[in-house]
Amino acid sequence: EIVLTQSPGTLSLSPGERATLSCRASQSVSSSYLAWYQQKPGQAPRLLIYGASSRATGIPDRFSGSGSGTDFTLTISRLEPEDFAVFYCQQSGSSPYTFGQGTKLEIK
Amino acid sequence: QVQLQESGPGLVKPSGTLSLTCAVSGGSISSSNWWSWIRQPPGKGLEWIAEIYHSGSTNYNPSLKSRVTISVDKSKNTFSLKLSSVTAADTAVYYCARNDQLWWYFDYWGQGTLVTVSS
């Protein structure tokens, strides 16, 4: 099983700042099979990024993904108030499909 | 626009069987997609449980495989989850989701349903 470790656990930033979230895999993941999701309280996760760097439909361009192999990054260039939530990375290249433990992005 | 909706009992007794159904609308369950169940214990992260194709092919998370059955009903455009011998550790929000047909990420999700295991 591929273990995904996200850091930091909590990130405290202010609107307008840049957020950088990390996802590290226990073994190499094909970039095609790495996705990022955003989850707000009481809601289902929402797909943000797939294929490590492709934005899902309707996702603003302030969200970007990068990385390869075992190290992947989600960047939010300029935080908007609605961006504060929990973010998960997920791999689907190897079954069982696994998620990271999440990074909580909170307002400073 | 594909929509998914979970349904089933919100309370299950310990040692009983959890049964949930996911209704798919706005698309066919017989499309070239797999369909998954994912769960999230209160305040915790996400765990993939199982997936199914309309042909009946399945794939299970080994951590739950001995207790899980996933099935599909093409006539009703639904798929279902059964989890047996439940304990309090199975208390979670259960989501159904669609797997993208190329890269298997989860592109559409149901709203989720909370299932509590308690006597």
Side-chain angles (χ1 to χ4, degrees), chain B residues 94-112:
Chain B
Y94 285 77
Y95 296 100
C96 57
R98 190 184 83 166
N99 301 36
D100 170 77
Q101 58 186 279
L102 287 178
W103 294 339
W104 260 255
Y105 53 82
F106 306 110
D107 55 2
Y108 291 96
W109 296 66
Q111 65 185 26

Side-chain angles (χ1 to χ4, degrees), chain A residues 36-52:
Chain A
W36 289 92
Y37 302 85
Q38 178 191 51
Q39 187 178 34
K40 296 180 179 180
Q43 296 184 16
R46 176 177 72 146
L47 177 69
L48 294 177
I49 300 287
Y50 64 91

Side-chain angles (χ1 to χ4, degrees), chain B residues 40-83:
Chain B
Q40 185 173 38
K44 296 188 178 181
L46 298 157
E47 180 181 33
W48 174 76
I49 301 169
E51 64 181 355
I52 191 165
Y53 195 61
H54 62 80
S55 64
S57 294
T58 57
N59 184 25
Y60 295 97
N61 190 325
S63 68
L64 295 166
K65 184 175 184 177
S66 63
R67 299 193 292 130
V68 172
T69 302
I70 189 172
S71 59
V72 64
D73 187 333
K74 291 184 286 185
S75 67
K76 295 182 179 179
N77 222 37
T78 62
F79 63 106
S80 298
L81 174 74
K82 290 188 184 299
L83 179 65

Side-chain angles (χ1 to χ4, degrees), chain A residues 50-94:
Chain A
Y50 64 91
S53 60
S54 298
R55 276 187 301 278
T57 303
I59 302 304
D61 60 8
R62 64 180 181 273
F63 290 91
S64 64
S66 62
S68 63
T70 59
D71 290 297
F72 297 90
T73 301
L74 174 69
T75 301
I76 310 172
S77 61
R78 188 175 173 85
L79 286 166
E80 298 286 342
E82 62 268 24
D83 296 338
F84 292 89
V86 179
F87 294 83
Y88 295 95
C89 58
Q90 178 252 330
Q91 67 81 24
S92 51
S94 172

Side-chain angles (χ1 to χ4, degrees), chain A residues 17-39:
Chain A
E17 291 192 293
R18 180 185 185 89
T20 302
L21 288 67
S22 174
C23 175
R24 178 162 290 178
S26 60
Q27 54 187 281
S28 185
V29 175
S30 168
S31 297
S32 298
Y33 299 105
L34 195 287
W36 289 92
Y37 302 85
Q38 178 191 51
Q39 187 178 34

